[in-house]
Amino acid sequence: MKYTLVALEGNQTVDLRAAPPMLVGRALTSDIPIPDPTISRRHAEVSIADGKVVIKDLGSSNGTFRNGQQVTEATCHNGDQVTFGKVQFVLHIEAPANAAMPTPAGPPPLPDHGMGAGHGAGGGAKMAGATIVKSLPADFRDLLASSLRSKEQEAVKSSPNAVTSERDGHQAQDRLTTLLDVSTQLTKSLSVDALLESIVDKTWGIFPVDRVAILLGDDTGALHPKIAKDRKGNTLEKMVPQSIARAVYGERQAIVSEDAGEDARFAGQSIVLQQVRSAMCAPLVGSEGRALGVIYVDCLFTRHRFTEDDLGFLIAFGGIAAVAIENSQFSERIRKEALARSNFERFFTPGLAARIANNPDAVKLGGDKRMVSVLFSDIRGFTAMSETMNPDDMAKLLSEYFTEMVECVFRHGGTLDKFIGDAVMAQWDAPIGEPDDPDRAMQAAVDMMAELDKLNAKWQAAKRPTLSIGIGLNCGEAFAGNIGSERRLEYTVIGDTVNTASRLCGAAGPREILLSEAFAKSLKSPPKLQSHPPMELKGKSQPLPVFSVVL
């Protein structure tokens, strides 16, 4: 057997060896080197025992996962997604050419189902109306592939016709080869929609059917058609008889009906109206026995089109498809979470963004009142300057300026609330606060002045315009939360505390930091401050005591 780990991103492919265990780590000297910051120097071990791949975490900082679940030690199967830190791989297990499929440990091979006798759990039975039902054992994917091979080989041996025997032998080999090819191709990283299209395309090459459909279940257990086509590529609606689909999905049993229209078990009106004759349906069962949906194929005008072996092959094919679908769903969820986190990181520090992204309530409407510290900074004389500069130069200047200002906010644990023209609004304490947030806001304001001095020196040396800013700081109670509609939310703080900080910023002169008395009193380690006479600010009925930072 060949065991390979294939990275979902990049070109890294790792061939696994049987012994000794292979070390996964950040160092280039590791057996499986992964130069990624989320990988520990000694992250995990990968070993092969009794034909199975085992992953073992070595106390890594960011964990080891199988199909999205963090594990200390776990056995992995073909198509499983293995993640070290944030780096994702898919495990491929391939049999050598012309080699027999391995018989896995666990349940015995499926019994030889007679067409006239009933069978117990894990077997099948001839139902009224010529329906064959197969329950699925725990390890049905590998088990059915092995069972299919042995069953078809037995048929070859028992055939009295040498030509027929040879043909059946080739068919058995072709089907096993097809299973391996499908397993390899379907476990590649695809979107769920693209994967379903690929599964349908593969089905046409495997079964002599008129129509193919895939239905997936939701959290409530309801089935929803995702793709349904005929051989001409036409998209169909309501082609799957619900009586068949519900039985297969709910009972996790695969079904082949030799004459669905006369089948007492599936006497639904849709079967009669659609003139369905032969039909097969198998559940798509993912990890831990979870039913994801069903795959359905039928022939409209031909009875007795499918055999019990065809059903076994559909079960095996559906098992591979289910693993691929589950992996794609997991990958899409990871991509969406990564996108959400990257969007959060535009406004929050990386550590805070991670905490918010993991909070399921982070994107709901509403909020609460809380104590916040608010900073406004504004460029002095920006309007006059913009009239003398071309748009490209102005955009470049502002991009460099905003980059440094936002870095100052993030460096001290603040949240970028928004850009308002040439102004920056930032706040501390929401959605998650620290006891020294006023001091952090103060340090950010001082840093902003220092970083602007460095930028101005660089710009002046390049004979480019220089900037001057004023900053206002205030703290107090404000409403903090997601404001907007269900289609577009913006996390922000609003209230008199915010308005006062904005007014202080407007009153500040070039290279001046003004702060309210409430903000000054909240500082645990204040810089050198200078008191000013109370200022009259718009929206305030009484003059406000004001302080400035001695820079």
Side-chain angles (χ1 to χ4, degrees):
M1 301 294 288
K2 181 180 180 182
Y3 304 84
T4 309
L5 286 175
V6 179
L8 289 182
E9 295 182 4
N11 300 317
Q12 187 171 10
T13 299
V14 181
D15 291 327
L16 304 180
R17 63 169 182 251
M22 300 179 70
L23 174 66
V24 179
R26 192 171 66 248
L28 295 178
T29 55
S30 303
D31 298 311
I32 306 177
I34 307 176
D36 186 274
T38 63
I39 303 298
S40 302
R41 292 188 64 83
R42 290 180 54 83
H43 194 102
E45 282 184 350
V46 180
S47 58
I48 300 173
D50 298 326
K52 297 180 179 179
V53 176
V54 178
I55 56 173
K56 180 180 179 181
D57 189 81
L58 299 179
S60 64
S61 299
N62 294 297
T64 300
F65 305 78
R66 185 192 66 180
N67 295 330
Q69 298 295 320
Q70 187 167 2
V71 298
T72 302
E73 184 171 347
T75 299
C76 301
H77 303 282
N78 185 40
D80 280 355
Q81 191 160 14
V82 180
T83 305
F84 305 106
K86 303 297 182 185
V87 183
Q88 305 166 45
F89 294 82
V90 172
L91 175 63
H92 293 291
I93 302 177
E94 301 176 19
N98 301 320
M101 292 288 288
T103 301
L110 291 178
D112 184 13
H113 305 300
M115 295 301 290
H119 297 270
K126 174 96 176 248
M127 307 295 294
T131 294
I132 300 172
V133 179
K134 282 188 178 180
S135 298
L136 276 66
D139 292 332
F140 73 92
R141 287 183 295 270
D142 291 337
L143 181 59
L144 279 168
S146 177
S147 174
L148 177 63
R149 181 180 178 88
S150 64
K151 192 173 184 65
E152 291 185 329
Q153 285 178 338
E154 288 173 6
V156 170
K157 292 177 181 178
S158 62
S159 174
N161 187 308
V163 175
T164 302
S165 177
E166 183 177 358
R167 183 180 64 247
D168 290 344
H170 286 312
Q171 183 185 35
Q173 183 63 41
D174 289 345
R175 285 195 163 186
L176 288 170
T177 301
T178 300
L179 272 182
L180 291 173
D181 291 343
V182 167
S183 175
T184 300
Q185 294 176 32
L186 293 188
T187 51
K188 294 179 180 178
S189 179
L190 295 171
S191 68
V192 173
D193 290 341
L195 179 62
L196 296 181
E197 290 278 358
S198 181
I199 292 171
V200 169
D201 290 342
K202 298 294 181 188
T203 306
W204 297 126
I206 297 173
F207 300 103
V209 298
D210 295 323
R211 307 186 302 176
V212 180
I214 297 174
L215 293 80
L216 298 183
D218 60 20
D219 293 337
T220 66
L223 282 171
H224 301 278
K226 292 299 180 181
I227 187 169
K229 290 185 175 182
D230 62 17
R231 276 197 172 271
K232 296 180 180 179
N234 298 319
T235 299
L236 308 173
E237 293 184 5
K238 299 180 180 179
M239 65 160 278
V240 181
Q242 289 299 305
S243 52
I244 292 180
R246 284 194 296 266
V248 170
Y249 182 65
E251 300 171 19
R252 290 181 63 242
Q253 291 180 324
I255 293 171
V256 59
S257 182
E258 297 175 347
D259 191 344
E262 300 297 326
D263 199 319
R265 182 179 171 94
F266 307 114
Q269 186 178 10
S270 62
I271 296 177
V272 177
L273 291 176
Q274 295 182 63
Q275 297 180 303
V276 176
R277 291 296 179 258
S278 301
M280 286 196 301
C281 191
L284 301 172
V285 181
S287 62
E288 300 178 356
R290 184 171 67 94
L292 305 180
V294 301
I295 181 169
Y296 170 90
V297 298
D298 67 20
C299 291
L300 294 180
F301 306 109
T302 307
R303 295 179 176 89
H304 309 287
R305 190 64 177 269
F306 306 122
T307 67
E308 191 173 359
D309 284 341
D310 289 329
L311 182 62
F313 191 71
L314 182 66
I315 294 172
F317 177 73
I320 294 170
V323 171
I325 291 171
E326 193 171 49
N327 287 342
S328 291
Q329 290 175 337
F330 175 69
S331 297
E332 284 193 357
R333 186 170 74 248
I334 291 296
R335 283 193 292 270
K336 288 179 180 178
E337 290 176 357
L339 178 60
R341 181 168 295 185
S342 67
N343 286 335
F344 281 130
E345 288 180 354
R346 294 170 56 202
F347 303 98
F348 303 102
T349 60
L352 183 57
R355 294 167 68 182
I356 297 170
N358 293 328
N359 180 2
D361 297 325
V363 293
K364 292 183 179 179
L365 285 170
D368 56 2
K369 286 187 175 181
R370 58 190 302 135
M371 297 296 293
V372 297
S373 299
V374 184
L375 178 153
F376 276 86
S377 72
D378 192 19
I379 298 174
R380 297 294 171 253
F382 176 76
T383 302
M385 178 185 296
S386 64
E387 294 175 352
T388 64
M389 297 180 66
N390 67 55
D392 289 342
D393 290 341
M394 177 57 66
K396 182 179 179 182
L397 190 76
L398 284 178
S399 294
E400 294 179 31
Y401 163 73
F402 282 136
T403 298
E404 294 301 328
M405 297 303 101
V406 172
E407 183 60 32
C408 291
V409 172
F410 284 178
R411 187 183 304 142
H412 296 287
T415 295
L416 173 64
D417 193 288
K418 61 175 66 71
F419 296 119
I420 310 171
D422 62 308
V424 175
M425 175 184 170
Q427 56 88 7
W428 284 254
D429 279 306
I432 302 172
E434 300 292 344
D436 61 342
D437 275 334
D439 289 271
R440 292 169 180 257
M442 184 77 263
Q443 292 164 8
V446 173
D447 268 10
M448 290 168 81
M449 287 296 183
E451 291 299 326
L452 183 57
D453 288 343
K454 296 178 183 178
L455 281 175
N456 280 332
K458 184 179 71 172
W459 290 335
Q460 190 172 23
K463 297 183 179 180
R464 296 171 63 190
T466 58
L467 301 177
S468 182
I469 62 172
I471 296 177
L473 292 162
N474 188 31
C475 68
E477 190 176 70
F479 175 85
N482 288 294
I483 307 298
S485 68
E486 292 287 357
R487 291 179 63 86
R488 186 179 189 280
L489 296 177
E490 180 180 80
Y491 190 89
T492 188
V493 291
I494 58 176
D496 181 65
T497 297
V498 180
N499 295 337
T500 300
S502 177
R503 301 284 185 258
L504 287 170
C505 177
R511 208 173 182 279
E512 184 176 34
I513 302 174
L514 292 183
L515 49 147
S516 66
E517 183 179 37
F519 187 87
K521 289 182 177 180
S522 69
L523 295 173
K524 297 179 180 180
S525 302
K528 187 176 181 180
L529 301 177
Q530 179 180 347
S531 177
H532 291 269
M535 286 186 178
E536 292 186 0
L537 301 176
K538 184 178 179 180
K540 291 292 185 180
S541 59
Q542 298 293 329
L544 189 72
V546 173
F547 297 82
S548 65
V549 178
V550 178
L551 297 172

